[in-house]
Amino acid sequence: MGDTQRSQTISTKLHQIAEQARQNPDRIFTSLAHLIDVDLLREAYSKTRKDGSPGVDGVTSSQYGQNLEDNLQDLHRSLKERRYKAPPVKRGWIEKDDGCNRPLGMPTFEDKVAQRSVSMVMSAVYEQDFYDFSHGFREGHSPHQAVKEVRDQCYNQNIRWIVDADVSKFFDSLDHGVLRELIKRRINDGGLLRLIGKWLNAGVLEDGELTHSETGTPQGGVVTPRTQ
């Protein structure tokens, strides 16, 4: 099967899930993990950015790609047999516009591929639930679309003032239990929930010290707000 045909097959499977989610807004999906096969992992690899910094294992995207098929086969077996262990996320820091530093997590490249595959499957469901005016952290959406949405609303409804509000350190303090319960309202697949739990509990490695937290999600991975 060629790459184009393989991509079309994957697209068809995800489209079928998306259509079921669209037609049944109250449906809870309990069997999705089986969709993550080698073909989907290969597609996830192709969609994963190759210019990110390596994680704790030091393996770059180029090195991973040199033995791609064997690596994907091994990854699939470990996922299927529930042997996959989410590696700790390497932490770096970037400076914000206000002078403060924001933590940035750097997963291993293979972990990004695994995360991308889960994101592809889960997005097929959740994309059907989002409002059209919701543009944050969604594939095919951008801040420019959000700005246009605000501008159009202001013009059409003669709005003369705007309140800008934000939740301080929301993703740093996200409650893991609440997050799991929210996910289960739409996706209650044991395989996917186990993987999400592993990523939430993988810990952060900084200056040789491994720490764990029961709240927050390291930004920088595929399944976290700052996508790669």
Side-chain angles (χ1 to χ4, degrees), residues 34-76:
H34 69 279
L35 295 173
I36 303 178
D37 55 14
V38 175
D39 286 342
L40 190 135
L41 288 172
R42 190 180 295 106
E43 188 73 7
Y45 166 83
S46 71
K47 293 179 177 294
T48 301
R49 285 177 53 179
K50 309 299 190 297
D51 58 350
S53 300
V56 295
D57 61 358
V59 177
T60 65
S61 60
S62 176
Q63 292 171 326
Y64 191 85
Q66 290 175 4
N67 196 24
L68 180 60
E69 290 305 313
D70 287 344
N71 286 333
L72 293 180
Q73 291 283 352
D74 289 342
L75 175 58
H76 176 246

Side-chain angles (χ1 to χ4, degrees), residues 9-208:
T9 300
I10 294 170
S11 178
T12 298
K13 290 180 180 179
L14 296 180
H15 178 75
Q16 290 172 345
I17 296 296
E19 189 63 19
Q20 292 173 27
R22 186 187 67 80
Q23 293 181 3
N24 301 277
D26 297 325
R27 175 174 177 177
I28 300 176
F29 289 81
T30 60
S31 181
L32 294 174
H34 69 279
L35 295 173
I36 303 178
D37 55 14
V38 175
D39 286 342
L40 190 135
L41 288 172
R42 190 180 295 106
E43 188 73 7
Y45 166 83
S46 71
K47 293 179 177 294
T48 301
R49 285 177 53 179
K50 309 299 190 297
D51 58 350
S53 300
V56 295
D57 61 358
V59 177
T60 65
S61 60
S62 176
Q63 292 171 326
Y64 191 85
Q66 290 175 4
N67 196 24
L68 180 60
E69 290 305 313
D70 287 344
N71 286 333
L72 293 180
Q73 291 283 352
D74 289 342
L75 175 58
H76 176 246
R77 278 193 294 270
S78 67
L79 291 171
K80 185 177 181 180
E81 297 171 4
R82 302 180 183 179
R83 293 185 291 102
Y84 186 77
K85 295 182 179 180
V89 176
K90 185 169 70 173
R91 172 168 285 171
W93 296 87
I94 59 175
E95 186 174 349
K96 298 172 62 175
D97 293 337
D98 60 6
C100 298
N101 290 326
R102 180 169 67 84
L104 177 66
M106 291 170 278
T108 65
F109 184 77
E110 181 169 77
D111 203 45
K112 291 179 185 179
V113 174
Q115 290 185 27
R116 175 70 66 186
S117 69
V118 171
S119 175
M120 290 168 65
V121 172
M122 295 183 68
S123 292
V125 175
Y126 287 115
E127 276 294 320
Q128 317 314 311
D129 297 344
F130 290 130
Y131 291 110
D132 292 339
F133 57 74
S134 176
H135 299 290
F137 311 116
R138 294 174 63 191
E139 185 175 357
H141 294 256
S142 70
H144 297 291
Q145 290 174 297
V147 171
K148 182 180 184 301
E149 187 80 40
V150 173
R151 183 191 64 190
D152 291 347
Q153 292 291 340
C154 289
Y155 178 80
N156 295 333
Q157 301 186 41
N158 197 29
I159 296 173
R160 298 187 180 278
W161 54 271
I162 298 174
V163 176
D164 181 17
D166 192 10
V167 179
S168 178
K169 297 183 178 180
F170 172 78
F171 295 111
D172 295 331
S173 58
L174 188 63
D175 186 280
H176 293 174
V178 173
L179 177 60
R180 289 191 182 96
E181 290 306 313
L182 287 173
I183 292 173
K184 288 180 182 179
R185 293 182 182 182
R186 201 65 159 114
I187 297 177
N188 194 10
D189 180 295
L192 297 185
L193 291 174
R194 275 190 294 273
L195 283 173
I196 292 171
K198 289 181 179 182
W199 286 318
L200 289 174
N201 296 313
V204 173
L205 187 66
E206 182 179 6
D207 296 330

